[in-house]
Amino acid sequence: MEKHTREQLLVVDSIKRYFKLKSGFREPEKWLRAVDGVSFEVRKDSVFALVGESGCGKSTMARLILKLLPLTGGKIFFKGEDISDIHGEELKKFRRSVQIVFQDPFASLNPRMRIIDTLSEPFKIHKIAPKSETMDRVAHLIERVGLGRDALGRYPHEFSGGQRQRICIARALALSPELIIADEPLSALDVSIQAQILNLFQDIKKESAISFVLISHDLKVVRYFSDEVAVMYLGEIVEKAATEDLFQSPMHPYTELLLSSAPQIRFRTHDAVETSQGAKIRKQTSDTAELPSPVNIPAGCAFHPRCPKRFDICDKQAPGLKESGDRLISCHLYQTQKAVED
């Protein structure tokens, strides 16, 4: 199934995260299945992207990987070690190797702390540098992300959104991590600044061989920066492939819908149909069904109420994520075709 040969850094194995919802007296329990049996791998010196509509579970995935939320089920392995239930010093050590850059750079910074104190804090917490060396390290970090040393004595409100995100990136780099989770890192920034931050990520990856998990709804960014993409829908992965393969030839009907919703991206479907067909798919689905609730996920294939290619089995049986050619796909259309061919 997996054709790459580079060493695995992170392995996510069938993880789940359910949230119990409040219910009335004598009402049955209700659960929101934010992440439901997701598996993928991130290899060293690579960028793995998660894409999907709002509410599909992408950001919950980030928090599960970072151990900011407990798992409902499944396992997470980092460099071959099971980190699913680690605590204390083991967790502290893990978080030295895995850092996050959040969506909102202003909310991510303490408004009462100068930048020098914000960037010094990781060194103090993890005790990885003597006090005499901390200033030099902090100065190197701020210069590495394209800001001058004069920024160190200032406060977050004195910077633009792009500058604050650079500071957040510098903080993430302080402990020389092996993996950075970038959760919608550009969405709160002006378009003119997004390219600068994306180029900074690219430079960091080239210089340090850091791996990334990129969570984004911006398909242009995903196509430019990632090596592999997983498409999420209602807490599950429905298609996973090498980035260019997925953009050139999306196979799952939801992937086609997702890519067609970005008019600046032209793509070829599995049947070699251009963007005009994508517009048709979008019209068919939006006119006939709304996005289902993650509390009441449809039976069978979760996407079938919106799918223009559905057939009898789709509303009765979940297809499961299975290999189809050069990718993994959760769709009866291809699994049925393969069964007939076999």
Side-chain angles (χ1 to χ4, degrees), residues 92-284:
K92 187 176 178 180
K93 181 181 177 181
F94 167 70
R95 287 182 174 160
R96 281 183 56 178
S97 299
V98 181
Q99 293 287 303
I100 187 167
V101 177
F102 289 104
Q103 176 179 350
D104 186 349
F106 190 73
S108 301
L109 298 170
N110 187 331
R112 298 181 179 181
M113 290 179 66
R114 295 178 302 162
I115 304 308
I116 187 171
D117 299 319
T118 295
L119 297 185
S120 299
E121 195 172 36
F123 297 109
K124 295 176 183 176
I125 292 173
H126 292 274
K127 300 177 182 178
I128 58 174
K131 191 173 182 179
S132 58
E133 295 180 12
T134 300
M135 182 58 191
D136 287 339
R137 293 200 180 200
V138 167
H140 173 71
L141 283 172
I142 204 70
E143 290 173 346
R144 187 177 181 187
V145 298
L147 296 176
R149 295 193 180 202
D150 60 309
L152 295 175
R154 296 155 63 188
Y155 290 87
H157 72 271
E158 300 180 63
F159 297 90
S160 67
Q163 289 172 325
R164 287 196 292 263
Q165 194 63 296
R166 288 176 184 270
I167 293 165
C168 291
I169 293 168
R171 182 177 58 187
L173 293 173
L175 301 175
S176 301
E178 297 177 72
L179 176 67
I180 289 179
I181 314 293
D183 186 5
E184 299 281 7
L186 309 180
S187 62
L189 306 178
D190 292 339
V191 174
S192 59
I193 304 300
Q194 290 180 0
Q196 298 175 22
I197 300 300
L198 186 58
N199 287 334
L200 176 59
F201 277 133
Q202 192 77 277
D203 292 341
I204 289 168
K205 183 177 179 296
K206 288 178 181 178
E207 293 169 7
S208 307
I210 294 174
S211 298
F212 285 81
V213 173
L214 173 66
I215 295 170
S216 179
H217 67 275
D218 191 326
L219 299 174
K220 302 186 302 298
V221 171
V222 169
R223 189 170 191 176
Y224 173 77
F225 188 49
S226 69
D227 300 302
E228 191 173 18
V229 182
V231 180
M232 288 190 70
Y233 185 76
L234 289 179
E236 300 180 348
I237 290 177
V238 296
E239 185 168 3
K240 182 166 77 75
T243 299
E244 202 55 34
D245 290 345
L246 185 132
F247 276 86
Q248 288 291 329
S249 182
M251 292 174 63
H252 195 284
Y254 175 65
T255 308
E256 294 179 352
L257 169 65
L258 195 66
L259 298 188
S260 71
S261 68
Q264 70 274 26
I265 296 178
R266 295 182 63 82
F267 67 95
R268 177 172 53 84
T269 69
H270 190 58
D271 298 320
V273 180
E274 291 292 325
T275 307
S276 58
Q277 176 66 16
K280 182 179 178 183
I281 292 171
R282 187 165 64 254
K283 184 175 187 302
Q284 285 176 315

Side-chain angles (χ1 to χ4, degrees), residues 1-3 321-329 338:
M1 182 183 299
E2 185 59 66
K3 298 179 180 180
L321 191 64
K322 298 177 183 177
E323 187 175 8
S324 180
D326 59 354
R327 69 191 70 197
L328 295 176
I329 185 168
K338 188 176 187 302

